[in-house]
Amino acid sequence: MDLTYTEEEQDFRARLRVWLGKTLPELPAKPSPDDWPGRRAYDAGWQRRLYDAGYAGLHWPVDAGGRGATPTQHLIFLEETERAGAPYVGANFVGLLHAGPTIAAEGTAAQRARWLPPVLRGDEVWCQGFSEPGAGSDLASLRTRAVRDGDDYVITGSKIWTSHAEVADWCELLVRTDPISEAVPKHRGISWLAMPMDAPGVTVRPLRTLAGSTEFAEMFLDEVRVPVANRVGAENDGWRVTMVTLSFERGTAFVGEVVACRRTLGELARTAKANGRWDDPVLRRRLGRLYGEFGALWRLTQWNVSESERTGGVPGIGGSVFKLAYSHARQELYDTAAEVLGADSLVLDEEWVLDRLSSLSYTIAAGTSQIQQNIVAERILGLPKGR
Amino acid sequence: MDFRLTEEQQDLRAGVRDLLAGRYGREALRASVDSGGALDRGLWRELGGAGFFALRLPEPDGGVGLGLPEAVLVFEEAGRALLPGPLVATHLAAGTVPGAAEGTAVVTALDLDGPLVAHLADADAVLGVPSLPSGEPVRSADPLTPLHRVAAPGSAVAAYRDEGALLTAALQTGSALRTVELAVRYAQEREQFGQPIGAFQAVKHLCAQMLVRAEVARTALYAAAVTADPAEVAGAKLLADEAAVRNARDCLQVHGGMGFTWEADVHLHLKRAWVRARQWRTAGEAEEALAAELLTAAR
Ligand SMILES: Cc1cc2nc3c(=O)[nH]c(=O)nc-3n(C[C@H](O)[C@H](O)[C@H](O)COP(=O)(O)OP(=O)(O)OC[C@H]3O[C@@H](n4cnc5c(N)ncnc54)[C@H](O)[C@@H]3O)c2cc1C
């Protein structure tokens, strides 16, 4: 048990701080939440700055164009960027946090060379086409079909809740290359493809979220042709590739957000002090409890990072434990914020209120809490699979 | 930074677990329940001999010379085994109360948030108090924590509050981890409707939440042991209390009617968790301390 940082790590932190102090004031103004092209340009611009400064793909392996940083350095990076109020990954989320790492782990040399550098430079944005109207939690029952025709797959079907689909260049798409049958388990016949979003036959229809924004969309695929060469991993082996992807999604994607929540909690305490709500002992204690919980969640990220050093950087299923605790705590944070704000919590212009609405997705997206509980019970605790 | 346990720490933990399994296994536990909760002086001396109380005393003073992280690992094991007695108070008294380090003296403390004292009849001394107070015995909710009501409770423990809270959090965490195991084992063995009850999602989800609580508490505990930061200690106590109490309750639920039966150990975990939740730092006190720290940090 050692929570101190090595000299090298402290050095890394210091240099990063200097760079952030210099770079953040140079950033253009943030676009409005509904200006999607503007947001994409903003996120791409930030990614480009990271790239030029040598911070892009920090935790990716060197042979994938990354910096091969240790998980601890990556943690420091996330901590410092968040603390300094740097932009989020935003539109680059899928490319950087899971399509990229998946291609790095499972792709051929040619695939890595084609897709990874533009992700790191912020030139190309990815989205994730996994969920379908009939296949959410039960992802393996997806029906979007890919039929081979010469050197192409011809794809027909539809996807839903595809985040950032409106502005994406590429989609990590799960398709069925072997029909569901009695003979093979349904998760067998799935393949993982990189689909260009401008291919003929791709239609994106924005969906409004309950927060009023259009951060995700429906996607209709009508005889879309995608080269067989765009398949990552073997045909019908897409489920295994997907599991690699999801472990990245759960393992590291939320680290920076814990830091953000701790900052938010501090702002909340100041607000409560200013408007007198701090004097309510019930509310004050609730805030104190949250401070304890987010402190522990931050330590849990450090724990998971230490553990992942053992497994060579691939996040373990400890990510499910983290996600369950975190998604609940985050919702509690914004419910507490509403108590601090009182009736102002009904005014949609308040950033708190939009964040509260967004936080409702945390127990659903990237695997619902119920599914995470199944994973913890079956894969960590070893309870029998049931129906 | 490497949060993982060192090899020495893993060995220490395994050693204590073996020792307690041999010396205070299930039968010993039930025997002490049957005997009305009187403290086993022989066991106390053996714990002293194994360094349980002198763990953090410097070696020149006859101690083991280890730190809070190691103490926390050892107390976690004691919590798993439901080892009774004023373990924390005696550990804190090592080096000041003669015999505490060796386990020849039993030292309790005025660590409850009311005029009650645990293990007073068995105690040779009370931490930070010149003489033993007199007290009226009352019936205790926990069969292994006898209680006395004293006239003037006093506040002699202030200087020990953080360490006491941290070590108590370790006991709670150990108990929380143990009740996850008990629940999971029962869920795998007990069959209803033609299958193990652990195949039912309602049961699975109870177990999964138990693990989440215990793991979050354990991480907070280890971090607090490394930093010894008062706010982090308060957080660890808060989360460990909750994990121990809630896990014992969920474990009881998973055990069904068996869980409500005196013969099953689940109620012993729950009752002890209730006692510890009132020792050194209650949830309310921890929350207030954390709130104050949050405001300071946010300025
Ligand atoms: C903000 C947001 C962004 C998203 N972005 C993307 C994206 O970019 N790409 C993408 O592919 N998908 C995305 N999703 C979709 C997301 O992955 C799914 O919503 C999620 O996996 C749940 O599937 P579902 O919505 O079909 O719910 P369902 O699977 O229909 O579940 C409905 C309810 O039933 C419960 N349930 C279902 N099965 C079980 C079971 N076996 N045991 C117990 N309970 C069960 C669930 O827990 C839930 O409470 C996004 C979702 C949100 C909210």
Side-chain angles (χ1 to χ4, degrees):
Chain A
M1 277 186 240
D2 179 8
L3 292 172
T4 56
Y5 292 92
T6 63
E7 216 162 284
E8 203 187 333
E9 287 161 350
Q10 287 173 15
D11 206 49
F12 173 79
R13 189 192 293 273
R15 272 182 287 124
L16 177 57
R17 257 188 209 173
V18 171
W19 182 76
L20 285 168
K22 182 173 67 72
T23 309
L24 294 183
E26 294 171 0
L27 288 184
K30 258 202 180 130
S32 86
D34 274 331
D35 173 9
W36 285 95
R39 280 177 65 172
R40 181 197 154 131
Y42 182 85
D43 295 343
W46 169 242
Q47 183 59 30
R48 181 72 205 200
R49 281 170 200 266
L50 289 173
Y51 180 82
D52 290 341
Y55 290 118
L58 201 60
H59 60 302
W60 288 19
V62 175
D63 63 0
R67 317 293 301 182
T70 63
T72 302
Q73 281 175 330
H74 185 217
L75 191 76
I76 292 171
F77 173 80
L78 293 167
E79 194 183 1
E80 287 299 322
T81 45
E82 180 49 53
R83 194 174 275 160
Y88 293 107
V89 276
N92 295 309
F93 184 92
V94 172
L96 281 170
L97 292 175
H98 61 96
T102 304
I103 293 166
E106 299 285 332
T108 62
Q111 290 174 332
R112 290 166 165 216
R114 166 62 191 88
W115 287 309
L116 297 183
V119 165
L120 293 177
R121 284 195 304 262
D123 290 344
E124 290 183 349
V125 165
W126 285 67
C127 63
Q128 179 196 50
F130 284 11
S131 305
E132 295 183 8
S137 300
D138 184 13
L139 187 57
S141 68
L142 63 91
R143 289 181 179 279
T144 291
R145 289 198 57 189
V147 180
R148 213 147 156 170
D149 181 29
D151 289 338
D152 289 340
Y153 286 113
V154 180
I155 302 165
T156 302
S158 70
K159 295 286 171 178
I160 193 165
W161 305 306
T162 317
S163 303
H164 299 115
E166 275 186 279
V167 292
D169 305 291
W170 291 92
C171 176
E172 50 167 3
L173 190 74
L174 289 187
V175 294
R176 184 159 292 291
T177 34
D178 206 10
I180 295 182
S181 71
E182 297 285 301
V184 282
K186 59 189 180 178
H187 60 267
R188 271 299 162 68
I190 292 172
S191 300
W192 196 108
L193 303 180
M195 179 183 78
M197 290 296 283
D198 60 0
V202 177
T203 309
V204 171
R205 211 185 57 141
L207 285 172
R208 264 161 80 87
T209 73
L210 57 70
S213 79
T214 55
E215 70 182 51
F216 52 35
E218 271 178 300
M219 225 167 35
F220 301 96
L221 308 172
D222 183 18
E223 304 206 336
V224 180
R225 297 188 84 89
V226 171
V228 172
N230 284 19
R231 192 188 65 228
V232 173
E235 188 168 84
N236 296 333
D237 194 29
W239 187 253
R240 191 188 56 77
V241 180
T242 302
M243 290 304 116
V244 172
T245 309
L246 290 181
S247 76
F248 280 107
E249 185 169 19
R250 279 169 210 150
T252 49
F254 301 103
V255 172
E257 297 189 23
V258 175
V259 184
C261 285
R262 294 180 75 189
R263 201 184 57 203
T264 300
L265 195 58
E267 283 171 36
L268 198 52
R270 281 202 305 269
T271 306
K273 187 73 187 162
N275 74 7
R277 298 287 282 134
W278 187 259
D279 297 333
D280 173 353
V282 175
L283 188 56
R284 191 173 62 232
R285 285 184 182 179
R286 216 166 135 182
L287 288 164
R289 165 173 291 265
L290 280 166
Y291 187 59
E293 279 179 24
F294 278 103
L297 286 169
W298 172 242
R299 295 304 190 185
L300 193 56
T301 62
Q302 291 182 324
W303 180 267
N304 282 339
V305 163
S306 282
E307 282 292 300
S308 80
E309 304 221 4
R310 193 202 308 267
T311 57
V314 178
I317 39 181
S320 290
V321 169
F322 176 79
K323 186 182 186 280
L324 277 167
Y326 171 69
S327 54
H328 168 81
R330 179 157 178 142
Q331 290 174 359
E332 174 66 19
L333 170 65
Y334 285 105
D335 286 345
T336 308
E339 290 298 309
V340 172
L341 292 177
D344 279 355
S345 66
L346 304 174
V347 180
L348 205 51
D349 309 328
E350 293 274 352
E351 204 182 320
W352 290 110
V353 182
L354 284 172
D355 287 344
R356 183 185 197 196
L357 291 171
S358 302
S359 79
L360 298 174
S361 73
Y362 277 73
T363 44
I364 298 169
T368 70
S369 290
Q370 286 69 40
I371 296 298
Q372 299 299 330
Q373 286 175 332
N374 287 349
I375 291 173
V376 169
E378 289 166 12
R379 310 240 310 263
I380 303 181
L381 295 176
L383 287 170
K385 277 201 181 294
R387 296 175 30 79
Chain B
M1 186 204 78
D2 184 357
F3 208 154
R4 289 170 295 171
L5 270 53
T6 64
E7 227 161 273
E8 292 78 32
Q9 287 170 335
Q10 290 179 30
D11 291 347
L12 173 71
R13 184 161 72 174
V16 177
R17 186 174 297 189
D18 284 349
L19 175 100
L20 291 178
R23 190 55 183 81
Y24 198 74
R26 173 118 214 289
E27 279 181 16
L29 169 68
R30 298 309 304 206
S32 51
V33 172
D34 294 341
S35 71
L39 204 119
D40 179 348
R41 287 271 180 169
L43 175 57
W44 209 251
R45 275 192 299 277
E46 280 177 57
L47 290 172
F52 198 95
F53 303 118
L55 195 73
R56 290 186 307 131
L57 274 190
E59 283 176 66
D61 301 342
V64 190
L66 292 172
L68 274 179
E70 287 76 22
V72 149
L73 293 175
V74 167
F75 273 72
E76 183 185 313
E77 290 306 315
R80 291 174 65 91
L82 265 176
L83 193 64
L87 296 160
V88 172
T90 304
H91 178 98
L92 293 174
T96 46
V97 175
E102 298 78 23
T104 51
V106 175
V107 184
T108 188
L110 300 172
D111 56 4
L112 283 156
D113 67 330
L116 295 177
V117 185
H119 302 286
L120 185 60
D122 284 312
D124 302 307
V126 180
L127 193 65
V129 174
S131 61
L132 281 177
S134 59
E136 280 296 305
V138 292
R139 265 154 50 84
S140 170
D142 175 13
L144 292 178
T145 311
L147 293 173
H148 283 72
R149 191 182 297 281
V150 291
S155 58
V157 292
Y160 300 95
R161 182 155 325 267
D162 285 335
E163 288 184 356
L166 183 72
L167 295 173
T168 307
L171 293 168
Q172 295 284 59
T173 302
S175 173
L177 287 161
R178 179 72 185 135
T179 46
V180 184
E181 284 174 14
L182 291 174
V184 168
R185 197 174 65 200
Y186 193 74
Q188 281 164 336
E189 287 167 0
R190 171 74 172 168
E191 291 196 7
Q192 289 293 286
F193 300 97
Q195 55 182 327
I197 56 166
F200 299 118
Q201 240 182 22
V203 173
K204 247 180 220 176
H205 288 191
L206 280 175
C207 294
Q209 280 306 338
M210 289 171 73
L211 184 75
V212 170
R213 269 182 229 125
E215 287 296 344
V216 174
R218 170 149 70 170
T219 314
L221 171 73
Y222 290 1
V226 172
T227 64
D229 172 70
E232 221 160 355
V233 170
K237 176 69 163 55
L238 180 69
L239 294 172
D241 282 347
E242 179 165 301
V245 171
R246 297 272 314 269
N247 277 14
R249 293 181 74 140
D250 286 354
C251 183
L252 198 150
Q253 183 67 21
V254 169
H255 278 75
M258 184 52 75
F260 200 70
T261 305
W262 188 265
E263 292 312 315
D265 296 341
V266 192
H267 68 109
L268 299 175
H269 277 281
L270 178 60
K271 291 164 178 173
R272 191 76 58 82
W274 279 342
V275 172
R276 293 179 188 134
R278 304 242 67 98
Q279 283 175 316
W280 298 104
R281 225 182 229 312
T282 62
E285 289 162 356
E287 285 168 350
E288 286 288 5
L290 285 160
E293 176 61 26
L294 166 63
L295 202 56
T296 311
R299 281 225 180 89

